[in-house]
Structures are given as structure tokens and as C-alpha cells.
Amino acid sequence: NHGKSVHSTGWLHWVALAMLGSAGNLAWAEDGELWLDADTNSASLVVRNLANQELARFENISIGSNGTTQTHWRGDQTTPLGEYRITAIQPSLRYRLFIALNYPTADQAQAALASGGINPLQFRRIMAAHNQGRTPPADTRLGGNIGLHGLGQASEAVHLAANWTRGCIALTNSQIDSL
């Protein structure tokens, strides 16, 4: 993976319920849901349809500087493994484009509640966001604001040489534009 150190590897699966239309509006995919599979071992992101056909592939993605984990904690610089839904697609001054995910999931929030990592009020707020199809709050110990994004003004050379994010999946600006 071009010199990038990955502490643990795995797959992330994201369900893309909508695709960005040419005018910047959300438009439903004609053939239903699309899947985004991030393979942290090969540092690639693959777009697939429901028939599991590969529609696009993006190489040299970057993940959290501390690799992957089952549960991301705020500030740990890891990328959480699991299956997530896209909750928002929005332009970003910092990252060019940000595709938000529903991290933490209900299961991750339940586990954090059971272990004392979050309190009942925080759990209810996360669950309310899930029930309303919104991005969960990011102000708990589980963190948040996990998604896919471009580089913005960041160095493409650094991106190609190291995993550098705080937990997201990063693509080059041209890749995020294509996605």
C-alpha cells in the first residue's frame, strides 16, 4: 500500500443511498443502492451495485494515522470498521467534499453504553439521530464526524506516503470529485 503503515486491517462497508447529481443535488441511483467497500489492507475504495459489480475503483486511500479499530474513540486517530450509511453529502472548505456516515452505529453506541463509555442521555441522542436518518452527534467519547473526504489544500504527497486522517477515509481531490 505504497509505504502506508496499517496497524490492523479490515473492510468498511458503506451503503450509498444517494449519489451526487451533476447539479450538486442528491439524486437516487437508477438501479437502487450502491455500496462503497473500503479495503484498508489494499488501501482501495470500490463502488459496487447490488449485483456486486464493480463500478469504480479508487486506489491509495488514506485512513486514520493509528489504523483501524472496531470502535473509534474521540481523539484516537483510528478509522472504525463496520457497515455504515451515508447521512449527508456536502461541500467542504477544508476537504473539498465531505460524505458523512452514521458513525457511531446503534450497536457501537449500545456497546459504549454497556461499558460506561457514554451515558444514557448520550445514547438516546445517538439513537434519535439514527431514527431520524441524521448524522449522530460527535460530542461524546465515541467521537463522530467520520466520513469520506478529499484533500482540500492538503499535500497529495503526504496522502500518498502515509495514513494521516483522524478517522476518516481520504481520497485525492480528483477521486472525491469522481466519486
Side-chain angles (χ1 to χ4, degrees), residues 153-171:
Q153 298 300 312
S155 167
E156 192 166 332
V158 170
H159 172 79
L160 294 173
N163 287 311
W164 59 272
T165 76
R166 292 180 289 173
C168 293
I169 296 286
L171 296 92

Side-chain angles (χ1 to χ4, degrees), residues 119-135:
N119 65 43
L121 175 60
Q122 293 168 328
F123 175 76
R124 287 192 300 273
R125 289 177 46 233
I126 291 169
M127 295 310 298
H130 281 288
N131 293 336
Q132 297 168 7
R134 294 183 293 111
T135 305

Side-chain angles (χ1 to χ4, degrees), residues 2 42-45 57-61 159-160 171-172 175:
H2 302 280
S42 67
S44 63
L45 177 76
R57 175 178 290 270
F58 303 96
E59 302 291 342
N60 297 313
I61 64 172
H159 172 79
L160 294 173
L171 296 92
T172 66
Q175 289 174 324

Side-chain angles (χ1 to χ4, degrees), residues 27-102:
W28 293 105
E30 292 180 18
D31 60 347
E33 292 183 349
L34 297 176
W35 292 86
L36 305 178
D37 288 333
D39 181 349
T40 60
N41 189 38
S42 67
S44 63
L45 177 76
V46 178
V47 180
R48 299 183 185 281
N49 63 16
L50 286 179
N52 205 30
Q53 296 169 310
E54 185 174 308
L55 304 177
R57 175 178 290 270
F58 303 96
E59 302 291 342
N60 297 313
I61 64 172
S62 288
I63 62 171
S65 59
N66 286 328
T68 60
T69 186
Q70 291 301 314
T71 301
H72 167 88
W73 296 95
R74 184 176 42 205
D76 72 4
Q77 312 296 316
T78 63
T79 298
L81 297 174
E83 184 172 305
Y84 303 94
R85 289 195 173 273
I86 292 173
T87 57
I89 302 173
Q90 54 206 21
S92 168
L93 291 176
R94 183 172 183 181
Y95 297 119
R96 189 175 190 105
L97 184 73
F98 188 79
I99 301 172
L101 302 175
N102 69 336

